[in-house]
Amino acid sequence: MNLADIKTVEAILRPAGFDFKKSLGQNFLINDAVCPEMASAACDSDTGVLEIGPGIGVLTVELSKVAKRVVAIELDDRLRKILPQTLAECENVEVIFGDAMQLDLNAIIKEKFSECKRVCVCANLPYYITSPIIMMLLESKLPIDNITVMVQKEAAERLCAEVGSRESGAITVAVNYYAEPEILFEVDRNSFMPAPKVDSAVIKLNVRKSPAVKVNDEKRFFSLVKAAFAQRRKTFVNTVSNTTGLSKDKIKEVLEYLNISPTVRSEQLTMQELTEISNNLF
Ligand code: SAM
């Protein structure tokens, strides 16, 4: 059964009366070149893979061929009847029904992947929660090697931008803090059913063993970063002062001490500069 074939997908979904829910980000892949490439980029035969949102299992089947074990988490209860049929031949796959944002992923990894040398996350993510899922995966400090996921192309560009470039934002800093990001390949919107309005890209976040920089206070560092990118048209000093209530003089004093221009914009600051500003402010 080729789950990336549009006729097969229709033949599976129609009798079950399944209609795609936009609210769950349901755009199923119908391009059979994409999933094998994602699977081989994410894992090998020693890897345990956590998949988020298997849909009818098009990526799950390919992951099952490459990985040691696959655990797929699906929120949509209507797939309870479909997935056991489409994954019937995949003996190393288990499906857990629930919300990936609510489940204890650390406990799942410990319980299900004890025999795997490494663990990764691989998914065609529901677009409505791309950033929250990625941040949850990184901030939970899960013992994972990489996160290989399909996201909207614009999100991929933002997530994988260089800190200090025009495309960077608060999420770019957060991703670079925890991981080394790369864009693997782009995927045309017509590779999905139903076709979304935008193209996609597969990205790989190679999780670092330790954060990219040494910040004194992680919580304050991330709230400074969030504040710094809250008003993109303003200078760093103005936006940080407006959003945090810190005095402009205090921020300027730190910038001067670090030899950074007082009119600098947040997207011009490198990871190291943001770190030093945070460490000196707090
Ligand atoms: N993997 C399939 C594919 O590539 O065709 C489906 C991908 S579709 C973009 C996203 C999937 O995530 C859907 O199956 C949807 O029901 C599921 N989903 C949405 N929100 C979820 C959540 N919070 N936790 C787990 N699964 C979720």
Side-chain angles (χ1 to χ4, degrees), residues 255-274:
L255 292 185
E256 194 178 6
Y257 173 70
L258 296 170
N259 265 330
I260 300 171
S261 159
T263 58
V264 73
R265 288 179 187 278
S266 302
E267 71 258 28
Q268 294 172 311
L269 291 165
T270 65
M271 198 75 177
Q272 198 55 45
E273 286 171 329
L274 284 163

Side-chain angles (χ1 to χ4, degrees), residues 163-165 168 173 224-225 227-232 234-237 239-240 263-270 273-274:
V163 179
S165 70
S168 67
V173 178
L224 174 73
V225 168
F229 288 95
Q231 299 169 329
R232 292 185 73 88
K234 295 203 161 80
T235 61
F236 176 82
V237 172
T239 179
V240 171
T263 58
V264 73
R265 288 179 187 278
S266 302
E267 71 258 28
Q268 294 172 311
L269 291 165
T270 65
E273 286 171 329
L274 284 163

Side-chain angles (χ1 to χ4, degrees), residues 24-29 53-55 58 73-75 99-100 124 126 128:
L24 289 180
Q26 290 180 332
N27 302 93
F28 291 179
L29 262 165
V58 63
I73 300 171
E74 176 55 60
L75 180 59
D99 185 340
N124 172 11
Y128 75 106

Side-chain angles (χ1 to χ4, degrees), residues 66 76 79 163 168 211:
V66 182
D76 191 345
L79 293 161
V163 179
S168 67

Side-chain angles (χ1 to χ4, degrees), residues 180-194:
E180 285 178 88
E182 56 177 324
I183 295 182
L184 296 185
F185 56 92
E186 291 180 9
V187 180
D188 185 90
R189 66 194 72 182
N190 296 315
S191 297
F192 300 90
M193 176 187 178

